[in-house]
Amino acid sequence: MESFYHYYYFLPPLLLLLLLLLLLLLLLLLLLLLLQQQQHLPLLAVLLLLNLLLLVLPRLVLLLLLLLLCVHICMAHAYLTVIGCPDAVPPPSAWYKRNGNIAEMGCESSDTSWKLRCEVNQWVGQVGNCSVQGM
């Protein structure tokens, strides 16, 4: 279902692009048909048709292609998610060491230590405390 919504954003610009290309072909056919029948068209009408065929429609097609590219880039950024864990916060009076998805913490005053594992976006494992004895 998610991919349907992803491509749904491309449908309106693509349909507009197809309609513009169809209009371009129809105008070209009309111009060829009129020239083939050797009917005399007013010079202004011929210039307007040529202007539309050679200048306006290609620019509109280019604009629509740029719009499609922008939609694609925006959709690609919308689906990017970061996977991983930020550095874990050790308890007071503890040391911290991280190696990729494994973090190790331990008390500075004893040999007590804990290992954590990063799964998707959160640390999994138990962390104790390093309370100072004898105070």
Side-chain angles (χ1 to χ4, degrees):
M1 197 59 127
E2 190 173 308
S3 62
F4 170 75
Y5 290 116
H6 177 71
Y7 292 111
Y8 175 75
Y9 290 102
F10 290 101
L11 288 178
L14 277 176
L15 290 175
L16 196 55
L17 182 64
L18 288 173
L19 284 174
L20 282 174
L21 288 175
L22 184 65
L23 180 64
L24 177 70
L25 285 173
L26 286 175
L27 286 173
L28 231 144
L29 286 173
L30 176 68
L31 188 61
L32 288 174
L33 184 67
L34 290 174
L35 289 175
Q36 191 177 31
Q37 291 180 357
Q38 295 178 350
Q39 290 186 3
H40 296 285
L41 291 173
L43 184 60
L44 183 61
V46 172
L47 289 176
L48 281 174
L49 271 175
L50 286 174
N51 182 34
L52 188 65
L53 286 172
L54 299 176
L55 298 175
V56 175
L57 282 176
R59 288 180 182 167
L60 284 175
V61 168
L62 182 63
L63 242 127
L64 277 170
L65 288 174
L66 286 174
L67 176 68
L68 281 172
L69 180 64
C70 289
V71 167
H72 177 71
I73 289 171
C74 290
M75 291 306 296
H77 285 294
Y79 284 103
L80 291 179
T81 55
V82 176
I83 296 176
C85 298
D87 284 340
V89 179
S93 302
W95 52 267
Y96 173 77
K97 184 171 70 173
R98 179 177 179 169
N99 187 11
N101 287 337
I102 303 294
E104 192 173 356
M105 297 179 201
C107 296
E108 294 171 354
S109 61
S110 69
D111 290 336
T112 307
S113 65
W114 308 276
K115 282 193 177 185
L116 302 173
R117 186 179 67 253
C118 178
E119 290 184 3
V120 186
N121 289 338
Q122 60 183 339
W123 290 107
V124 176
Q126 295 293 320
V127 176
N129 62 17
C130 296
S131 57
V132 179
Q133 300 288 331
M135 288 194 132

